[in-house]
Amino acid sequence: MPLVSLRKAGKIYGNGTVALAGLDLDVRTGEFLTLLGPSGCGKSTILRLIAGLDTITSGTLARSLPLDRASIGFVFQDPTLMPWASVFDNVFLGPRLQGLSRRDAAPMVDEVLALVGLGTEAKAFPRELSGGMRMRVSIARALVLRPALLLMDEPFAALDEITRFRLNDDLLALQGELKTTIVFVTHSVYESVYVSRRIAVMAARPGRIAEEIAINAPSPRGKNFRTSTAYAQLCAQTSQALQGATGEV
Amino acid sequence: MKSSGAIWHTPRLAMRYGPPVVAFLAMLAAWEAYVRLRDVPPYILPAPSLVLETLVADRGILLPALLVTLKTTLSALAAAVLGGVGLAVLFAQWKWVERSFLPFAIVLQVTPIVAIAPLLLIYLEAPAAVLVCAFLVAFFPILANTEQGLASADRNLADLFKLYRATRWQTLVYLRLPAALPYFLGGLRIGGGLALIGAIVAELAAGNAGKGAGLAFRIAEAGYRLNIPRMFAALALISAAGIAIFAALSGLSAYLLGRWHDSAAAPER
Ligand SMILES: Nc1ncnc2c1ncn2[C@@H]1O[C@H](COP(=O)(O)OP(=O)(O)OP(=O)(O)O)[C@@H](O)[C@H]1O
Ligand SMILES: [Mg+2]
């Protein structure tokens, strides 16, 4: 059974905007699924619906994971850290809201900070970190409660390419270790092919899935994959699907 | 590195505080020179040196008056902080409270304090009326700023709290209040200055009823007696008090915002 299953789902916002219509999408346990599509096609809307931050206006949405505090992690396009709190306290947010004391949560916070490579920055404040480090903190915050499902909304869009490549690799390594299911949003074809097991290419106005592409490349992926002909071919295929979906041929 | 820092430190301080201090001293010197050269009589314009002399000579009258005014101002400010922040939190938690009470707050805000003071003096003893006036003017900027701050928490962060099923109380304590802190501190700085003004205005309005009271009363009293040097001396004390309050609140602000807020951060080295 899929973790999340959307059938003929539609979303019409209060102002009449039809963001999604007739959307069919499954999120399967353990996969790395990427939503790829042009700006405004409803990618963020889908993540918010899955997270329960918003509700569909037609169709069905079924989750086989409980909507309690620990089951879903969310990473936004901006790190959206609390500027008044140290790195430790930012990551501590989830456990704190669950009622854990700082002392009880310290081991898991320290562990996840080490996982994202920020073991030594626990006491720093967000403004003292680089953009890439802030994004790592944001990922650590989403992962600290070991969610079954991690939703990431264009997390690396604001970063330079080198940092983005490194975070792509680190994210894949993290997923290999934690077995988290990830739904990832991007509008970069190259990024989507590199990280995903499956890409859902979206069409806009109204938002829907135009095509699904399986990326059957071996993992772990790395530099070799990025320079392989298989990668180039998959990028070309995905790019074509995206153009088809947006109506530019 | 350290030694180069030390070398650069002093000139930077000098660059920052030097010009205003020099300008101020130059202005005093020009004033002193003008009075001396033109032989301006002290009951028209006392020289700065005479003002200073008066300040020292009349300290038995002026310092207790300063204490009274300061005490009123600070009590009013403390009450305004409690009331302003408390009401802002209530407003933020329950919209109907805001809809019910915001109009009153606005009416109080837009009505000039000078016009309210005489009325308050009818109902209240002079010291209490002065306190209420100072409170009324300091209250609104603190309320308005804090309220804006509470509503300004990042939308994505608010969603994150929702995702984690945070309670209303947790969202208030861990998200809205910290997000409101810089706004509140801005309101506090404004409120601190206004509290002093409110206290002074009310003391003036109280006139004779405020006998033995604060600095403004001493100014009015000295005015009746054409004791111009003492008026200037009292005025200098009021200015000094205003500056001290502003500096203290700015210091508090820098301390509380410390490492996290851009406004408080040290310039890049
Ligand atoms: N709260 C809202 N109220 C009204 N309309 C909205 C709201 N949020 C999104 N929309 C509209 O819904 C559509 C889909 O928005 P969404 O943010 O999901 O797109 P997106 O694919 O994430 O775009 P981008 O790549 O630019 O982030 C857009 O047309 C947008 O204007
Ligand atoms: Mg989006």
Side-chain angles (χ1 to χ4, degrees):
Chain A
M1 197 166 100
L3 214 49
V4 180
S5 175
L6 287 143
R7 287 289 169 273
K8 301 214 177 334
K11 173 69 189 175
I12 303 177
Y13 280 106
N15 63 1
T17 307
V18 182
L20 301 171
L23 182 94
D24 289 315
L25 181 70
D26 283 339
V27 180
R28 299 175 199 139
T29 307
E31 77 172 335
F32 196 123
L33 169 67
T34 293
L35 303 176
L36 176 70
S39 184
C41 71
K43 304 180 296 291
S44 300
T45 302
I46 294 178
L47 292 193
R48 293 177 54 81
L49 291 173
I50 293 176
L53 291 171
D54 218 330
T55 50
I56 50 173
T57 45
S58 63
T60 60
L61 189 164
R63 295 184 195 85
S64 69
L65 77 173
L67 251 196
D68 65 22
R69 293 172 177 207
S71 60
I72 296 182
F74 209 122
V75 176
F76 303 93
Q77 173 166 356
D78 303 311
T80 52
L81 302 178
M82 301 178 288
W84 55 84
S86 66
V87 165
F88 182 98
D89 282 338
N90 266 286
V91 176
F92 175 45
L93 178 68
R96 165 179 268 167
L97 293 177
Q98 275 208 316
L100 264 71
S101 74
R102 185 181 302 267
R103 184 191 300 191
D104 288 345
M108 57 169 106
V109 173
D110 290 338
E111 193 189 337
V112 76
L113 279 177
L115 263 173
V116 299
L118 287 178
T120 55
E121 307 292 332
K123 292 206 175 77
F125 278 72
R127 70 181 308 279
E128 300 164 349
L129 303 177
S130 70
M133 289 160 99
R134 283 181 212 169
M135 194 39 87
R136 287 170 190 273
V137 178
S138 186
I139 293 172
R141 176 177 66 189
L143 287 178
V144 66
L145 291 173
R146 299 298 151 94
L149 177 60
L150 179 60
L151 306 174
M152 308 182 83
D153 194 353
E154 301 187 37
F156 309 140
L159 301 176
D160 64 273
E161 197 165 63
I162 293 173
T163 311
R164 179 143 39 99
F165 284 179
R166 187 168 327 122
L167 283 170
N168 283 160
D169 287 333
D170 290 353
L171 182 62
L172 290 177
L174 272 177
Q175 195 202 18
E177 201 165 324
L178 304 176
K179 313 287 177 223
T180 316
T181 309
I182 296 179
V183 181
F184 188 90
V185 165
T186 180
H187 32 225
S188 159
V189 168
Y190 303 105
E191 188 176 35
S192 69
V193 172
Y194 187 70
V195 294
S196 315
R197 278 302 170 77
R198 195 156 65 94
I199 300 174
V201 179
M202 293 187 64
R205 266 167 273 284
R208 62 199 182 278
I209 307 297
E211 192 173 339
E212 291 191 6
I213 300 171
I215 307 293
N216 291 314
S219 58
R221 295 169 185 177
K223 233 198 205 111
N224 292 338
F225 179 52
R226 235 186 248 292
T227 51
S228 69
T229 43
Y231 176 69
Q233 262 164 11
L234 285 164
C235 285
Q237 184 193 345
T238 308
S239 178
Q240 207 153 38
L242 185 61
Q243 277 166 17
T246 50
E248 306 159 22
V249 185
Chain B
M1 284 323 267
K2 233 186 183 139
S3 65
S4 85
I7 289 169
W8 285 105
H9 204 68
T10 321
R12 230 186 22 237
L13 272 184
M15 287 289 282
R16 183 143 174 222
Y17 297 108
V21 169
V22 169
F24 181 69
L25 291 179
M27 192 205 72
L28 285 186
W31 176 358
E32 183 84 35
Y34 174 78
V35 170
R36 282 179 191 239
L37 293 178
R38 287 291 192 87
D39 261 333
V40 183
Y43 56 82
I44 296 199
L45 181 66
S49 56
L50 179 60
V51 173
L52 189 67
E53 247 171 64
T54 315
L55 201 56
V56 175
D58 292 354
R59 63 182 182 280
I61 297 169
L62 291 178
L63 286 186
L66 173 67
L67 273 185
V68 169
T69 301
L70 269 185
K71 222 176 108 190
T72 314
T73 304
L74 295 181
S75 319
L77 188 60
V81 166
L82 283 181
V85 173
L87 205 57
V89 168
L90 290 182
F91 281 5
Q93 297 292 87
W94 293 288
K95 280 291 149 199
W96 63 266
V97 179
E98 175 174 7
R99 274 199 298 278
S100 318
F101 291 102
L102 192 59
F104 291 99
I106 291 175
V107 167
L108 278 178
Q109 158 69 8
V110 298
T111 312
I113 200 67
V114 209
I116 307 179
L119 200 62
L120 284 172
L121 282 158
I122 294 177
Y123 297 122
L124 297 170
E125 292 284 320
V130 172
L131 185 69
V132 171
C133 276
F135 164 79
L136 284 180
V137 287
F139 169 77
F140 193 81
I142 294 175
L143 168 71
N145 272 35
T146 309
E147 199 196 358
Q148 193 193 352
L150 287 171
S152 75
D154 184 279
R155 245 199 54 186
N156 284 334
L157 267 178
D159 274 344
L160 201 63
F161 274 68
K162 216 165 120 188
L163 183 70
Y164 286 138
R165 302 285 180 273
T167 62
R168 222 165 219 261
W169 174 250
Q170 285 176 322
T171 309
L172 178 70
V173 173
Y174 297 127
L175 178 63
R176 282 160 161 272
L177 283 178
L181 185 64
Y183 294 79
F184 160 75
L185 289 168
L188 184 66
R189 278 206 296 271
I190 299 170
L194 287 181
L196 183 63
I197 294 175
I200 297 290
V201 166
E203 279 179 14
L204 285 178
N208 245 353
K211 217 169 194 72
L215 270 178
F217 172 75
R218 291 299 173 201
I219 290 186
E221 184 191 53
Y224 297 138
R225 298 179 189 168
L226 284 182
N227 188 345
I228 311 299
R230 190 189 283 174
M231 286 180 85
F232 270 93
L235 200 57
L237 277 185
I238 293 176
S239 295
I243 292 167
I245 290 173
F246 187 83
L249 294 179
S250 298
L252 179 73
S253 188
Y255 172 75
L256 287 179
L257 297 183
R259 285 164 78 188
W260 70 270
H261 205 263
D262 288 335
S263 74
E268 302 303 324
R269 260 144 244 234

